[in-house]
Amino acid sequence: MTTTEDVTTPAGSSPPASPRIKPPKSNRRLRLGERTAPYLLILPALIAILVLLGWPTMQLIGISLRKLDLRELVSGEMVWVGFENFSAILSDPEFWEITVRTLVFTAAVVLTTLLLALFMALLMRHLNPVVRVILQVALILAWATPVVATTTIFQWIFDQQYGILNKTLAKLGFEEFIGHSWFSTGPSTLTVIGLLVVWQAVPFVAFTLYAGLLGVPKEQYEAAGIDGANAWQAFWAVSWPAIRPILTMVTFLSVLWDFKVFAQVWAIRQGGPDGASTTLPVYMYLKGLAGNHFGLAATAALLMMLVLILLTARYVQLLVRTKEADLS
């Protein structure tokens, strides 16, 4: 038989505190290891990024603060001019005109690419297997063709005298296109270049969106059909939530790729006629390698990088919002 002893505590005094039990050192070491393990895992990637991106960026910043023309490059002379290169670039009306042109060109090309790629992805989902394979092979061939080869083909298609496009339009009754020059103005030249970029960009985006559509179970479409939804309503209720994150990703990648397009613009007309199709990458090339003003070219490259950083920040913001909407 056990007895209990009542312990009375004097009024106004607090009960004695229970002794604090310290966690074992092994548990604290384990907890510390769990906290540092993720950082140790990403440490090699961070070092690689700093070496491959950080050091060239620092070099670019240093060149932008110098006067580095052909004479300084040959003699090795260090002429520091501070922010004079930035002042010269930002006060140049041509730079702002080219910047606006590049932004408009990028927006038009990206929007056209996304619309055509989305249409192709939806089309591949509903075609029979044989036709779908033929379409996929055609897309892969268009994507795998080298840029220079594709550019040459487009120059033949839009040639003023021997182009198949002018001849086809003339046979269809549009006689005003006989001998029509598609490269006589800046907007028409950029239109041809934009079609060339879209031609090569659509396959990758289409296959990416098609892969997202394949992840949607067929039962969801069947349930939407039972509820009386038509094709458009089924797309917004079933397909769109599945491909929206993927569409955000490919939009961001397309903006990065199309904003810095150089080979197609240079191969078509070297930014002509009279600089009317010049974009920022071509402007940077003309200032740097062609004009031997490497300090100005580095400044233009830094400004381009700043624009891309702003676009990247906007993409990360949209990505975070998408994740929060999915979790809520």
Side-chain angles (χ1 to χ4, degrees):
M1 183 175 182
T2 60
T3 60
T4 59
E5 182 179 358
D6 296 334
V7 179
T8 59
T9 304
S13 62
S14 58
S18 59
R20 183 175 298 175
I21 302 176
K22 296 183 179 181
K25 292 184 178 180
S26 59
N27 292 342
R28 282 185 291 177
R29 292 176 181 176
L30 181 61
R31 198 173 297 117
L32 180 61
E34 291 177 352
R35 292 177 180 176
T36 58
Y39 300 99
L40 294 176
L41 291 175
I42 66 174
L43 183 60
L46 291 177
I47 295 175
I49 291 174
L50 290 176
V51 172
L52 298 177
L53 298 179
W55 177 249
T57 302
M58 296 300 296
Q59 291 287 327
L60 190 65
I61 294 174
I63 295 174
S64 68
L65 300 176
R66 295 162 51 190
K67 180 184 177 183
L68 187 61
D69 296 342
L70 187 59
R71 185 176 68 87
E72 288 80 13
L73 184 65
V74 174
S75 63
E77 184 181 1
M78 302 283 288
V79 181
W80 296 96
V81 296
F83 294 98
E84 289 184 9
N85 290 328
F86 290 90
S87 177
I89 290 290
L90 295 176
S91 61
D92 185 7
E94 184 184 11
F95 170 77
W96 293 107
E97 180 183 354
I98 292 174
T99 300
V100 173
R101 181 187 303 144
T102 305
L103 292 175
V104 173
F105 172 78
T106 302
V109 170
V110 170
L111 181 61
T112 306
T113 300
L114 294 177
L115 292 177
L116 289 178
L118 182 59
F119 172 76
M120 290 291 181
L122 295 172
L123 189 63
M124 283 189 287
R125 181 176 176 84
H126 294 90
L127 289 175
N128 65 74
V130 177
V131 180
R132 181 169 60 246
V133 169
I134 295 175
L135 177 60
Q136 290 174 346
V137 171
L139 290 174
I140 291 175
L141 291 177
W143 176 75
T145 306
V147 174
V148 177
T150 308
T151 304
T152 304
I153 293 172
F154 267 70
Q155 286 179 313
W156 289 345
I157 292 174
F158 291 91
D159 186 78
Q160 182 176 358
Q161 298 296 331
Y162 307 104
I164 188 64
L165 180 60
N166 285 347
K167 293 183 177 180
T168 302
L169 292 174
K171 288 185 178 181
L172 292 176
F174 301 97
E175 297 182 357
E176 62 271 15
F177 285 97
I178 297 177
H180 176 72
S181 176
W182 294 92
F183 305 105
S184 59
T185 63
S188 62
T189 303
L190 284 175
T191 300
V192 176
I193 296 172
L195 292 175
L196 171 60
V197 175
V198 169
W199 174 269
Q200 294 187 300
V202 162
F204 172 80
V205 180
F207 276 112
T208 305
L209 295 177
Y210 177 64
L213 290 174
L214 289 180
V216 181
K218 294 182 179 179
E219 291 78 8
Q220 295 186 12
Y221 291 101
E222 295 175 356
I226 293 174
D227 293 338
N230 54 30
W232 185 252
Q233 292 172 338
F235 169 77
W236 283 109
V238 181
S239 301
W240 179 251
I243 65 174
R244 185 178 59 181
I246 302 176
L247 190 64
T248 304
M249 179 193 69
V250 295
T251 301
F252 170 71
L253 294 176
S254 298
V255 169
L256 293 183
W257 292 335
D258 298 339
F259 184 79
K260 57 186 183 64
V261 164
F262 172 80
Q264 294 90 328
V265 181
W266 185 257
I268 290 289
R269 281 299 182 272
Q270 294 81 42
D274 298 328
S277 64
T278 301
T279 56
L280 278 178
V282 176
Y283 175 81
M284 184 177 62
Y285 172 79
L286 293 174
K287 286 291 184 181
L289 296 180
N292 295 323
H293 301 297
F294 303 102
L296 291 175
T299 304
L302 276 178
L303 294 175
M304 282 185 59
M305 187 172 64
L306 179 62
V307 174
L308 293 178
I309 289 174
L310 294 176
L311 294 175
T312 304
R314 179 58 179 169
Y315 166 73
V316 173
Q317 184 181 11
L318 292 175
L319 189 63
V320 170
R321 288 182 180 179
T322 303
K323 292 295 184 182
E324 291 177 351
D326 294 339
L327 293 175
S328 60

